[in-house]
């Protein structure tokens, strides 16, 4: 029986205190409480549409603003994914998904290569969705990418509503990650001509 791909990470600073647990081969269940309701909603979407199981708990200096909490959740979740994936043996590595939400359409391409890079071509005209600062989507993704060691391209094909654009982004990310993290019996070791990721 293959080894369970799970990990738990704890991260504490003067600004935030976060625990994140991930089951890669999950059922799409999430228990998320970051103190930032819109982020909770997006992480629930990632778990549900990527078939990952998440437990994320965060306490941060929200009286200052949401930035530290959102960014540090990205760091903790990225580290949990990295740890859960282990040596990446047998993993497909690449994933590509496009998701619509009403008028919005977002395409996400990932390569879990060990080489972090983010290309974020998403213009959101509204500064906020409710109390959530929309520029924090970029900051979350950058933190997640850097900790996981993933190449991530996010392209907004079209969209008007900020909530729809962001939610389509997270759902496309979930589906691309699900694809990339799947074990393929044809892959021997890791999927790389170099022999390592």
């Amino acid at each position: 029986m293959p080894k369970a791909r799970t990990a738990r990470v704890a991260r504490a600073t003067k600004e935030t205190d976060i625990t994140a647990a991930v089951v890669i081969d999950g059922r799409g269940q999430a228990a998320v409480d970051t103190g930032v309701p819109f982020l909770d909603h997006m992480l629930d979407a990632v778990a549900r549409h990527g078939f990952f199981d998440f437990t994320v708990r965060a306490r941060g200096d929200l009286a200052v603003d949401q930035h530290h909490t959102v960014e540090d959740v990205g760091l903790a979740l990225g580290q949990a994914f990295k740890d859960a994936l282990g040596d990446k043996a047998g993993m497909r590595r690449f994933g590509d998904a496009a998701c619509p939400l009403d008028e919005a359409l977002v395409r996400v391409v990932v390569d879990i290569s060990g080489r972090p890079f983010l290309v974020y071509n998403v213009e959101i005209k509204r500064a906020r969705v409710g109390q959530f600062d929309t520029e924090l989507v970029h900051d979350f993704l950058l933190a997640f990418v850097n900790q996981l060691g993933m190449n991530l391209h996010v392209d907004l094909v079209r969209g008007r509503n900020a909530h729809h654009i962001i939610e389509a982004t997270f759902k496309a990310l979930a589906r691309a990650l699900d694809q990339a993290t799947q074990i393929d019996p044809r892959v021997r070791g890791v999927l790389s001509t170099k022999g390592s990721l």
Side-chain angles (χ1 to χ4, degrees), residues 17 25 43-44 84 87 93 100 117 153 161 189:
D17 188 355
D25 306 299
L43 294 182
D44 184 62
D87 63 6
R93 176 179 163 180
F117 201 91
H153 289 245
N161 180 285

Side-chain angles (χ1 to χ4, degrees), residues 102-191:
D102 294 346
E103 87 299 341
L105 177 62
V106 178
R107 182 171 184 230
V108 169
V109 181
V110 305
D111 175 10
I112 306 175
S113 61
R115 296 164 56 108
F117 201 91
L118 174 63
V119 177
Y120 183 76
N121 291 318
V122 179
E123 182 181 349
I124 301 172
K125 294 185 177 169
R126 282 181 51 200
R128 293 191 176 276
V129 173
Q131 299 301 309
F132 184 80
D133 183 348
T134 58
E135 73 179 9
L136 293 179
V137 174
H138 175 276
D139 299 340
F140 171 86
L141 293 175
L142 183 61
F144 182 73
V145 160
N146 283 336
Q147 282 310 104
L148 175 51
M150 177 174 71
N151 187 326
L152 171 62
H153 289 245
V154 184
D155 291 293
L156 173 62
V157 178
R158 66 184 63 90
R160 176 194 57 80
N161 180 285
H163 188 137
H164 294 171
I165 292 168
I166 295 168
E167 190 165 340
T169 297
F170 278 87
K171 287 177 177 176
L173 173 64
R175 293 182 62 81
L177 277 173
D178 177 44
Q179 192 179 109
T181 57
Q182 290 299 307
I183 299 298
D184 188 323
R186 298 170 298 174
V187 178
R188 299 286 182 252
V190 293
L191 190 57

